[in-house]
């Protein structure tokens, strides 16, 4: 009998709801307290990021005892074989800091490094994006499908910047070049939600370098299950060793070619 990942989605949703609730309840205190920084002065981490991750770890330890957890704030390593939980306790922390309501809790289960179940939950709207491998992607229970876009010049494409200034400069040059070849580009500030937006057809594609596993583990599964072409970091070196690329099939090849021509592979 084949493995059914759907019960893992239920666990992820239960835990993500509790984490999202904590993130909302503590926002005022978290953004007025000391806000620390990580890789650069603009890469922030709040008390709520840490508390959310701790809550997820504690709850998974009860609901799924013994299974390893990788989280953005505390790290951890994947099981060589078997199931690992991958957690971004707040994706879109800069938005959270400013009160821009576009951020999420992202939890995925990976089997041998491959996402099999995932949830991206938005604390402000309460929207719940889910997928189980082989069983489709859903927004609040409604099945998702990617857009039918088939012209690159009429496509809406999401992107993101790395925190390091030098790399950001090179990324900006690439995206400026691409901006004349598509309908428009969007930088919304939460990678997990960019991936969900492709799943819903709210974006036709999304690409970014240097994502962490926690950024894409749930969202990329949701996009794939909605029918997107998905290239994870390491899978398509011509786009750059650490590129994530997600697109509706009708424009995927043309967008990939355009990105390469615009220098995306060497940012
Ligand atoms: C960031 C967001 C952002 C993306 C960055 C991520 P964080 O995650 O997803 O949209 O451009 O690459 O690091 O730091 O808010 O969890
Ligand atoms: Ca993130
Ligand atoms: Ca985060």
């Amino acid at each position: 009998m084949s493995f059914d990942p759907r019960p893992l989605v239920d666990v992820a949703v239960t835990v993500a709801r509790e984490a999202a609730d904590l993130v909302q309840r503590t926002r005022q205190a978290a953004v007025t307290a000391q806000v620390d920084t990580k890789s650069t002065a603009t890469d922030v981490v709040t008390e709520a990021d840490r508390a959310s991750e701790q809550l997820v770890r504690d709850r998974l330890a009860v609901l799924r005892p013994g299974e390893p957890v990788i989280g953005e704030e505390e790290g951890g390593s994947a099981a060589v074989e078997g199931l690992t939980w991958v957690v971004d306790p707040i994706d879109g922390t800069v938005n959270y800091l400013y009160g821009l309501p576009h951020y999420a809790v992202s939890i995925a289960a990976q089997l041998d490094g491959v996402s099999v179940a995932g949830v991206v939950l938005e604390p402000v709207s309460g929207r719940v994006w889910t997928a189980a491998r082989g069983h489709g992607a859903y927004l609040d229970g409604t099945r998702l499908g990617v857009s039918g876009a088939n012209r690159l010049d009429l496509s809406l494409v999401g992107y993101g910047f790395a925190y390091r200034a030098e790399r950001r400069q090179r990324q900006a040059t690439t995206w400026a070049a691409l901006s004349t070849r598509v309908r428009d580009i969007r930088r919304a500030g939460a990678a997990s939600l960019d991936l969900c937006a492709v799943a819903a057809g709210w974006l036709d594609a999304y690409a970014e370098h240097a994502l962490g596993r926690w950024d894409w583990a749930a969202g990329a599964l949701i996009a794939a299950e909605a029918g997107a072409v998905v290239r994870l970091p390491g899978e398509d070196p011509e786009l750059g060793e650490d590129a994530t690329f997600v697109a509706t099939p009708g424009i995927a090849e043309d967008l990939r070619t355009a990105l390469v021509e615009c220098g995306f592979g060497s940012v």
Side-chain angles (χ1 to χ4, degrees):
M1 204 167 47
S2 67
F3 171 74
D4 183 356
R6 285 173 293 185
L8 301 175
V9 176
D10 297 337
V11 172
V13 170
T14 299
V15 176
R17 274 193 208 287
E18 293 179 31
D21 184 50
L22 176 140
V23 161
Q24 270 325 88
R25 271 189 290 109
T26 59
R27 182 178 170 272
Q28 205 48 51
V31 303
T32 35
Q34 169 75 31
V35 173
D36 294 333
T37 58
K38 297 190 284 186
S39 61
T40 69
T42 53
D43 180 7
V44 291
V45 56
T46 70
E47 273 312 312
D49 293 82
R50 297 195 185 102
S52 171
E53 182 163 328
Q54 193 57 55
L55 181 151
V56 173
R57 286 176 181 275
D58 291 346
R59 295 293 286 131
L60 287 175
V62 172
L63 297 171
R64 304 288 303 184
E67 291 173 348
V69 179
I70 299 176
E72 177 171 16
E73 309 309 340
E74 274 185 52
S77 46
V80 179
E81 278 180 357
L83 203 102
T84 301
W85 293 91
V86 184
V87 180
D88 194 336
I90 301 178
D91 185 39
T93 294
V94 173
N95 289 346
Y96 178 73
L97 187 65
Y98 280 75
L100 191 62
H102 193 72
Y103 49 88
V105 175
S106 172
I107 302 177
Q110 294 193 325
L111 194 58
D112 304 337
V114 176
S115 296
V116 292
V119 59
V120 176
L121 201 150
E122 295 178 67
V124 176
S125 66
R127 280 197 284 248
V128 184
W129 306 81
T130 54
R133 183 160 293 275
H135 295 276
Y138 293 85
L139 167 56
D140 294 333
T142 300
R143 183 102 187 218
L144 294 170
V146 292
S147 79
N150 56 15
R151 278 184 56 181
L152 183 61
D153 60 335
L154 298 182
S155 295
L156 189 62
V157 182
Y159 73 105
F161 284 124
Y163 285 111
R164 251 187 333 113
E166 316 82 65
R167 192 160 205 209
R168 183 173 281 228
Q169 177 62 64
R170 294 194 295 276
Q171 290 175 320
T173 304
T174 291
W175 287 105
L178 191 83
S179 68
T180 61
R181 299 175 64 164
V182 297
R183 184 192 296 274
D184 209 341
I185 57 177
R186 293 282 183 272
R187 196 293 190 250
S192 61
L193 291 173
D194 289 323
L195 292 161
C196 292
V198 177
W202 297 353
L203 289 174
D204 298 312
Y206 159 75
E208 180 168 355
H209 290 102
L211 293 187
R213 182 171 290 264
W214 41 82
D215 293 311
W216 58 257
L221 175 64
I222 293 166
E225 286 295 322
V229 172
V230 175
R231 300 278 175 271
L232 297 173
E235 289 183 351
D236 190 343
E238 229 194 323
L239 289 173
E241 285 298 341
D242 60 356
T244 300
F245 171 88
V246 178
T248 191
I251 60 155
E253 202 44 54
D254 286 353
L255 175 61
R256 185 186 174 283
T257 302
L259 283 167
V260 171
E261 287 170 1
C262 292
F264 196 76
S266 50
V267 301

